[in-house]
Amino acid sequence: MSDISFKYTGRREDRRLVTGAGRYTNDFNLDGQAYAAFRRADRAHAIIKSIDTEAAKAVPGVLAVLTGQDVADAGFVSAPPIPPPPGRGGQGILTPERPFLAHDRVRFAGEEIAVVVAKTAAAARDAADLIEIDFEDLPVLIGVERAMAKDAVVIHDNIPGNVCFDFDYGDEQAVKDAFARAAGIVSLTAESPRVAPNPMEVRGALVSYDEATDSYDFYSPNQGGPAFGHSLSEMAGIPHDKIRVHMLDVGGAFGARTAPFPEYPPLMLLAKKLKRPVKWLSTRSEDFLTDNHGRAISLKGELAYDANGKFLAIRTEWLCDSGAYLAQAGAMTNSVNGKVVGAGAYQVEAMYGRHRQVITNTAPTNAYRGAGRPEANYIVERLVDEAAVKLGVDPLELRRRNVLKKAQFPYMTLTGARFDSADFPGLIAKVKEAADWKGFAKRQRVSRKGGKLRGIGCAVFIEPSGGGGMKKDEVAVLFNKDGSVIIHDVAGPSGQSHETVFPAMIARWLGIEAETVSLKSGDPNGPHLIGHPSIGSRSAMSQGSAYKVAADIIIEKAKKIAADELEASVGDIEFAEGVFTIAGTDRKLTMTRVIEKSGAMVPNPLDTIAERAISQAFPSGAHVVEVEIDPATGEVEVANYTAVDDIGNVINHVLADGQVVGGIVQGAGQVFGEHCQYDPQDGQLVTGSFMDYCMPRADLIPKVNLSNHVVPSPNNPLGVKGVGEAGSTGSLPACMNAVLNALRPVGVVHLDMPATPARVWTAINSAKSS
């Protein structure tokens, strides 16, 4: 394995970003630009009988008004979602058409109906409010149960019963047989509530059209410019090479900035029609309404075990609320990642899962930090805790008895995934000691004396990282005449520190100063590269490994230049720590000097485009959480959080720890507060602002005790695994198991997220009165 660690001297990005020098979408402006605003549906389900735009057109400064028919006439089509594998019985997914501007029917509150462009943003907003729409209301379906009811109205004509995909995996009969001979069975239901991604930066776009080249320049927050541009080209029916997506800073993504939104193609149409740039910036309220939401999954699970507590089989069922339309990756990740995780960290004889994707009158759901991995581990870990209660066995001990052992890896799961490496017994042993698991009883007694309920919960998990739809990832390393180095990839950063990490890795491998290396990710003026955006916790593993391939190629190229300078045979040249040496002599030449020499050559012989085939790795971890609950108020305090993670070889501990903590807090935010709620009668979003939607704050988890338990991945030359989603995958089950452990002594046996003070207080008092 390659040595990938480097001395950390701070993030390059920090000074630019924290001093206000970052350039986000709204910081870009073009001469003569106009401003767009959208008229949105104020109801969740209705037929559009007529649209009157005359008052809007009469507003001073208005340049154009587009409706759905205008966009349809232009030939724009909705981009299809990423197709999951064939479903139950070989069926494929039923995809509803999503118009960029609704023209016959609206299907969720906030859906786009018309767009106004004016000389000022204020005029555009005022005019949009004046568009009159005559609706005929239809029944509203909020929640999967109502949408699947026999008498439910069909939201899309091509999706009978409102179930667009039915996916299963495993061996249903083998599970039935295992359950029939089990000594014990535990079962439960659990909710993973709908959440809003809420990046700090709201959505926006600036689009310009160049008539001479019939091409577009596009500025918008994204997780990878080339992938973003490819989706735009599909939506607008425009060749990919006619759309230039520019590099910019991105104020958070979490999966919500991977694909273009329906607002964007109409902006392209308007920029071409008006022959001037068009800019649109969403509001926070619009983002709450229409940014693709996450989670929204109802879970059921059953676990069978024998007389000795050995796990025999697991059966799960997912009902996934896809919203009114299918976002790019929502149905795929909520199907495939459940299959990949399967029985999680545990050895079982049989496994069966079934997932149904359901259409409702709500905003579409998409991949959101974890993208099905948290739910897959959540249902399994909740079941294991229930089994521990029923058996009267310590939860960590029951896990230790049933987890896969290190010697079993690589392990082919019952659902067809190949786990590359892990050491679950080692993770459990380390987290048990780090969390002082044995000392919990003493701490619990102290809490009880203070009138508090104290609980402890754990989770042992595994998740996929990497992979992707393309076969490879490409990177480029280019050398300037002044000796500086520019590296290129297509994975757009949104907080992952690519500007710091990738240049430092290249510099270390080549033995040059890191300050001489700069990153340009997704530069439209750079070389044309193929690859994936920053999704699936994959960038260090995929782009990082491609950079290692590039570095090795460059070293071999540089040996030829060094051999000429040293008047030696290439076969006699050795390279180490940035220095070329003739074997057996003290004659040497630095890589820095070789790079300087190559700068005078045209083309530069060191310039390199390298690729690496995609691969997967499976991060894992063991998290332990302690909570203290005030029964008088229902308030939950996270007293301790301990996380031991196997993310493979660690490139930079400071940055990796930041990723883990960020994921933990994001997951805990869902456990203790975040919840997008719709009025079940009229489909209005009732948590559409930060006044109503509970975001996690810094004091939610005051301190996290972090450590690593490294088992390198054999699937890539760096030995790394993903890290970006490990925290959110482990925190959901660990936190909820702790809450329920605290509440069981007062009679509470079931509670769903979010564990807000009101919900916890209600559960405690309901248990008292029952």
Side-chain angles (χ1 to χ4, degrees):
M1 292 294 178
S2 170
D3 183 2
I4 56 173
S5 62
F6 59 88
K7 184 179 179 181
Y8 180 64
T9 57
R11 293 199 330 159
R12 293 188 182 188
E13 303 93 322
D14 285 349
R15 178 172 294 277
R16 183 180 82 252
L17 298 178
V18 303
T19 60
R23 297 201 71 196
Y24 300 89
T25 298
N26 198 37
D27 293 311
F28 287 86
N29 295 286
L30 298 173
D31 291 341
Q33 70 187 24
Y35 299 85
F38 287 85
R39 171 67 160 91
R40 300 182 181 276
D42 60 3
R43 58 205 66 202
H45 199 194
I47 294 171
I48 299 174
K49 298 180 70 175
S50 65
I51 303 175
D52 185 351
T53 62
E54 292 307 310
K57 291 177 179 177
V59 172
V62 168
L63 302 172
V65 179
L66 286 187
T67 63
Q69 193 60 54
D70 298 319
V71 177
D73 290 344
F76 285 15
V77 296
S78 58
I82 300 171
R88 190 177 171 92
Q91 70 165 328
I93 191 167
L94 300 176
T95 302
E97 180 185 352
R98 179 172 188 179
F100 300 126
L101 297 175
H103 52 83
D104 60 353
R105 190 170 170 180
V106 295
R107 293 175 171 88
F108 72 99
E111 185 172 0
E112 307 81 9
I113 299 175
V115 57
V116 176
V117 175
K119 294 180 180 179
T120 67
R125 288 193 294 268
D126 290 344
D129 288 341
L130 293 176
I131 296 174
E132 293 290 337
I133 304 170
D134 185 15
F135 291 107
E136 180 183 323
D137 288 332
L138 295 170
V140 174
L141 302 177
I142 302 299
V144 293
E145 290 185 0
R146 290 183 65 178
M148 295 173 68
K150 291 183 179 180
D151 61 348
V153 65
V154 174
I155 297 175
H156 295 278
D157 292 341
N158 68 321
I159 304 177
N162 297 316
V163 176
C164 66
F165 191 50
D166 191 345
F167 179 74
D168 70 349
Y169 48 87
D171 191 326
E172 189 173 13
Q173 186 58 51
V175 168
K176 289 180 180 178
D177 294 342
F179 271 73
R181 58 185 170 82
I185 296 171
V186 290
S187 61
L188 58 84
T189 62
E191 295 292 322
S192 182
R194 176 183 288 261
V195 296
N198 276 327
M200 286 190 291
E201 180 188 18
V202 296
R203 287 178 296 141
L206 172 62
V207 188
S208 67
Y209 172 72
D210 181 46
E211 191 172 11
T213 59
D214 190 27
S215 64
Y216 297 82
D217 284 87
F218 212 96
Y219 303 78
S220 185
N222 65 82
Q223 293 176 237
F228 188 89
H230 181 75
S231 293
L232 271 176
S233 72
E234 286 187 328
M235 297 164 83
I238 296 169
H240 187 202
D241 61 1
K242 296 294 185 180
I243 301 174
R244 291 162 43 88
V245 179
H246 286 257
M247 295 186 301
L248 37 68
D249 290 313
V250 178
F254 316 122
R257 298 295 179 259
T258 304
F261 282 84
E263 291 93 344
Y264 298 166
L267 300 180
M268 298 172 68
L269 182 61
L270 286 160
K272 182 175 183 178
K273 178 181 179 179
L274 297 173
K275 294 182 173 56
R276 63 194 298 175
V278 176
K279 186 174 188 177
W280 170 69
L281 190 69
S282 176
T283 65
R284 182 60 66 182
S285 294
E286 285 180 291
D287 267 20
F288 266 112
L289 281 170
T290 62
D291 215 342
N292 293 331
H293 292 165
R295 314 301 191 226
I297 300 172
S298 298
L299 300 157
K300 293 182 181 179
E302 296 174 281
L303 169 63
Y305 52 85
D306 69 13
N308 297 316
K310 179 181 179 293
F311 298 166
L312 299 177
I314 292 178
R315 178 163 49 209
T316 63
E317 180 180 355
W318 300 36
L319 294 178
C320 307
D321 188 338
S322 294
Y325 302 97
L326 295 182
Q328 184 190 50
M332 189 275 291
T333 55
N334 282 339
S335 299
V336 171
N337 281 341
K339 176 183 179 180
V340 171
V341 172
Y346 305 101
Q347 176 95 49
V348 295
E349 298 175 11
M351 167 74 197
Y352 178 74
R354 183 182 182 187
H355 302 216
R356 280 172 283 182
Q357 310 290 334
V358 184
I359 299 294
T360 65
N361 291 124
T362 58
T365 55
N366 204 357
Y368 168 76
R369 197 170 192 169
R373 303 168 182 85
E375 287 77 17
N377 284 280
Y378 181 63
I379 189 63
V380 171
E381 289 302 295
R382 286 288 310 280
L383 285 168
V384 174
D385 252 35
E386 290 295 320
V389 171
K390 192 170 182 179
L391 290 166
V393 178
D394 177 87
L396 269 183
E397 174 58 23
L398 184 62
R399 286 170 168 83
R400 187 194 65 78
R401 296 177 190 174
N402 283 281
V403 292
L404 297 163
K405 305 304 185 283
K406 186 176 182 180
Q408 292 179 263
F409 291 87
Y411 180 78
M412 184 63 69
T413 73
L414 296 174
T415 57
R418 188 176 185 273
F419 293 167
D420 58 339
S421 63
D423 178 15
F424 294 118
L427 287 167
I428 291 171
K430 186 171 286 188
V431 80
K432 183 177 182 179
E433 179 179 354
D436 187 21
W437 183 271
K438 292 182 179 179
F440 170 72
K442 180 179 179 180
R443 295 190 294 275
Q444 187 179 47
R445 288 192 295 270
V446 173
S447 293
R448 285 175 178 169
K449 288 180 181 179
K452 303 290 182 68
L453 304 172
R454 195 178 188 100
I456 192 167
C458 60
V460 179
F461 64 90
I462 189 167
E463 53 149 348
S465 65
M470 303 179 200
K471 293 183 178 180
K472 62 183 179 181
D473 287 289
E474 292 181 328
V475 299
V477 182
L478 307 181
F479 295 81
N480 294 324
K481 291 182 178 180
D482 63 1
S484 62
V485 184
I486 307 297
I487 63 176
H488 297 260
D489 61 49
V490 299
S494 55
Q496 299 92 335
S497 306
H498 291 184
E499 289 179 48
T500 298
V501 174
F502 289 148
M505 292 166 68
I506 281 287
R508 181 175 179 81
W509 293 324
L510 298 183
I512 60 178
E513 293 296 322
E515 291 74 16
T516 65
V517 187
S518 301
L519 170 68
K520 290 187 176 182
S521 177
D523 184 0
N525 298 314
H528 175 71
L529 300 174
I530 296 171
H532 297 79
S534 293
I535 56 173
S537 301
R538 67 184 319 283
S539 299
M541 175 172 53
S542 300
Q543 274 79 18
S545 293
Y547 278 126
K548 180 62 173 69
V549 173
D552 290 343
I553 293 172
I554 291 165
I555 290 168
E556 291 304 310
K557 290 179 176 180
K559 281 183 178 180
K560 297 177 182 179
I561 298 174
D564 288 343
E565 285 293 305
L566 295 172
E567 298 179 337
S569 170
V570 173
D572 293 332
I573 299 296
E574 297 177 344
F575 179 77
E577 301 297 327
V579 177
F580 295 95
T581 307
I582 300 176
T585 76
D586 60 358
R587 296 183 61 198
K588 58 188 178 181
L589 188 70
T590 65
M591 174 65 85
T592 299
R593 180 60 183 150
V594 170
I595 292 173
E596 291 173 355
K597 294 287 293 182
S598 73
M601 306 177 190
V602 180
N604 193 308
L606 297 184
D607 287 350
T608 298
I609 294 178
E611 66 181 54
R612 189 173 189 281
I614 63 168
S615 62
Q616 276 193 314
F618 288 81
S620 56
H623 292 194
V624 170
V625 180
E626 283 186 50
V627 299
E628 195 173 61
I629 299 174
D630 185 344
T633 64
E635 184 177 359
V636 183
E637 177 186 346
V638 178
N640 293 305
Y641 198 113
T642 303
V644 179
D645 287 279
D646 169 18
I647 56 173
N649 288 330
V650 181
I651 297 173
N652 182 291
H653 283 277
V654 173
L655 301 178
D657 287 354
Q659 288 285 308
V660 174
V661 171
I664 287 171
V665 174
Q666 204 158 344
Q670 179 182 345
V671 171
F672 296 112
E674 292 193 60
H675 189 190
C676 283
Q677 298 181 70
Y678 286 90
D679 186 304
Q681 301 307 314
D682 62 16
Q684 295 297 323
L685 182 66
V686 297
T687 53
S689 75
F690 289 135
M691 291 292 289
D692 308 295
Y693 186 90
C694 180
M695 288 290 285
R697 291 171 170 79
D699 62 353
L700 176 60
I701 300 182
K703 183 181 179 181
V704 181
N705 178 17
L706 295 175
S707 60
N708 297 113
H709 186 75
V710 175
V711 183
S713 172
N715 290 354
N716 64 81
L718 308 184
V720 299
K721 301 174 183 178
V723 63
E725 289 156 304
S728 57
T729 300
S731 59
L732 260 67
C735 288
M736 278 306 293
N737 280 340
V739 170
L740 285 163
N741 179 259
L743 294 176
R744 283 193 186 95
V746 294
V748 177
V749 295
H750 180 82
L751 180 69
D752 276 319
M753 295 183 275
T756 60
R759 290 166 65 92
V760 172
W761 182 89
T762 299
I764 292 172
N765 285 275
S766 295
K768 288 179 180 178
S769 60
S770 62

